[in-house]
Amino acid sequence: MASSTVSFIIIIIIITTVLLPSLSSQLSDLFPSNNPPPFLGKHSHPIKQPNHHQQYRYETRYFSQPLDHFSFLDLPRFRQRYLINTEHWVGPSRSGPIFLYCGNEGDIEWFAVNTGFVWDIAPRFGAMILFPEHRYYGDSMPFGSKEEAYRNATTLSYLTAEQALADFAVLITDLKKNLSAEGCPVVLFGGSYGGMLAAWMRLKYPHVAVGALASSAPILQFEDIVPPETFYNIVSNSFKRESSSCFDTIKNSWNALRSEGQKEDGLKQLSKTFHLCRELTSVQGLSDWLDSAYSYLAMVNYPYPSNFLMPLPGHPIREVCKKIDGSPAGSSILERIFNGVSVYYNYTGEVDCFQLDDDPHGMDGWNWQACTEMVMPMSSDQNTSMFPAYDWDYSAFREGCQRDFQVTPRPRWITTEFGGHDIEHVLKSFGSNIIFSNGLLDPWSGGSVLKNISETIIALITKEGAHHIDLRASSTEDPDWLVEQRATEIKLIQGWIYNYSKKMKATFEI
């Protein structure tokens, strides 16, 4: 996580698990399923609307990157796409800063037009804007094409967070050298998976960037650092706080879904109830579709209308629950569920039928990352979650990854490479100039840093905030708490740049 989203772009949960014994016979055919964590990449797509280009002007360039930064073999290179805007940059003579957004798991143009905060503040800083694309996503494909890059485990083996960070570091170092801008400070930005990358890059390459704004960055969602049920508990609480009856209806719907699917014409009836374009062959796809909607609704539960993932009203979970609770008398539980999720999938009313497996953006890359190093344990608690209960089962997860990609996950690699355990001590001792911003309505907030670690490792928490809302463009509908949050972020970034300039000046005077 866009935004990663996305990321961090984008989706449902990659968890092949066994259910709690008490429910295994009832719901094992529904949930969980072998899908990736719900970041943002699924929703990223090439930007075609001219109004976006008018609002955010940038030049598209390409940079030749090594396929493997950590080998000296003569391997092929690939073209990394990046977007650049120097309209407001005051240049190297005035040490103009460079704002670099760490590209997520998707098309970089989509993340660029959905990160308005960077564009909004660049003029006041006299900053250059840089959006480098994450390797293996968008147009940044090794081996010449997506088909070749995604061919097998050998070609995908260079798709890692470490390689992506090295791409960013090499690109910005080369760019600064070519522009005689070695003295210009770099500030990192990122949301979701991109926020994780921004925080990790500040820790791994402190000489490259002076600070990082890591928004909705779940860097602790690994191993046993946070309880695995955290994500689904937060999603569930977002619905429960709007309506306990809405929560109960969703919680009871999974059994209703299973029961209907077991009837002689049950799959046909479910396809009709949920207005599907093609008849179901199993209940699993519909279960995934519903889970995806609930998870994303919690992520983008913004206080104003948005078009980030889907066209949605303000407080979309509130509207979903109004539809569920306000369904006509006599409506079945599944009819109520359909009325509710239509707020997410068809708020404009323009969709005639739904394609459950329609994923034009492709998530093969994120599936791979989730099966190798981005192993995020998830579970659902029978007492606190509105989702079917299940435990995290690494053995089943590993078997799924070996089947799909012929690889064995490394669940401890991220914490070995970037840290995570005893995070307070580690960041206090070795880190500086990182903002971890989180809205507590965002289900990924439970895996992030939620308290100040030091004077320079700051946690900005908003009770009503959702998934990296602070990186969205400012608008007249922004609540006061969001305006104040962004003002604090601007002040902290100003401090990073001021302190850097002060140190540079003192060095030159010596």
Side-chain angles (χ1 to χ4, degrees), residues 433 497-509:
N433 293 0
I497 295 173
Y498 173 80
N499 290 334
Y500 169 82
S501 301
K502 187 177 179 180
K503 290 179 181 178
M504 291 292 291
K505 182 178 180 180
T507 300
F508 283 122
E509 288 178 351

Side-chain angles (χ1 to χ4, degrees), residues 236-393:
S236 300
N237 288 337
S238 291
F239 282 82
K240 196 170 190 177
R241 83 180 200 135
E242 293 295 347
S243 165
S244 59
S245 61
C246 175
F247 171 94
D248 291 338
T249 299
I250 295 172
K251 188 176 181 70
N252 293 328
S253 69
W254 307 106
N255 270 330
L257 191 65
R258 173 188 173 275
S259 298
E260 185 66 30
Q262 289 182 335
K263 295 179 181 178
E264 183 176 351
D265 293 324
L267 294 178
K268 182 177 181 180
Q269 182 58 44
L270 285 173
S271 303
K272 181 179 179 180
T273 299
F274 286 90
H275 296 204
L276 306 183
C277 299
R278 292 195 295 268
E279 187 171 322
L280 288 168
T281 57
S282 73
V283 181
Q284 183 66 62
L286 182 55
S287 173
D288 291 346
W289 189 69
L290 295 172
D291 165 51
S292 181
Y294 301 142
S295 297
Y296 283 120
L297 281 162
M299 290 169 65
V300 296
N301 196 21
Y302 300 141
Y304 49 72
S306 69
N307 194 27
F308 186 27
L309 304 185
M310 298 281 193
L312 291 172
H315 301 285
I317 289 181
R318 183 176 302 167
E319 298 305 313
V320 168
C321 285
K322 284 181 179 179
K323 290 290 186 180
I324 290 176
D325 292 342
S327 293
S331 298
S332 71
I333 187 171
L334 295 181
E335 288 171 338
R336 291 175 182 272
I337 292 299
F338 173 74
N339 292 338
V341 297
S342 292
V343 172
Y344 179 74
Y345 285 116
N346 193 22
Y347 184 64
T348 62
E350 298 175 354
V351 180
D352 295 324
C353 65
F354 301 101
Q355 296 276 8
L356 300 191
D357 57 352
D358 183 16
D359 184 7
H361 315 309
M363 281 302 294
D364 295 322
W366 187 244
N367 285 336
W368 166 269
Q369 288 188 260
C371 256
T372 50
E373 59 181 6
M374 302 297 291
V375 181
M376 300 180 174
M378 296 272 180
S379 69
S380 178
D381 183 87
Q382 183 176 3
N383 297 317
T384 58
S385 173
M386 68 183 191
F387 298 90
Y390 68 90
D391 285 330
W392 165 252
D393 182 355

Side-chain angles (χ1 to χ4, degrees), residues 26 78 94 133 159 190 242 329 388 391 407 436 484:
Q26 298 179 24
F78 74 96
R94 295 173 57 186
E133 191 164 57
L159 172 51
E242 293 295 347
D391 285 330
V407 294
F436 290 99
E484 293 170 2

Side-chain angles (χ1 to χ4, degrees), residues 89-90 94-100 121-122 124-128 183-189 202 209-212 433 489-505:
W89 190 43
V90 296
R94 295 173 57 186
S95 299
I98 300 172
F99 288 172
L100 187 154
I121 69 173
R124 75 167 69 186
F125 282 91
M128 175 194 301
C184 293
V186 176
V187 178
L188 306 171
F189 297 82
R202 170 59 185 161
V210 301
N433 293 0
E489 292 171 348
I490 291 171
K491 185 176 180 180
L492 289 169
I493 294 169
Q494 288 173 330
W496 299 342
I497 295 173
Y498 173 80
N499 290 334
Y500 169 82
S501 301
K502 187 177 179 180
K503 290 179 181 178
M504 291 292 291
K505 182 178 180 180

Side-chain angles (χ1 to χ4, degrees), residues 465-481:
H467 203 52
H468 56 67
I469 188 174
D470 54 324
L471 294 185
R472 307 280 293 153
S474 62
S475 78
T476 55
E477 296 178 285
D478 290 337
D480 291 342
W481 56 261

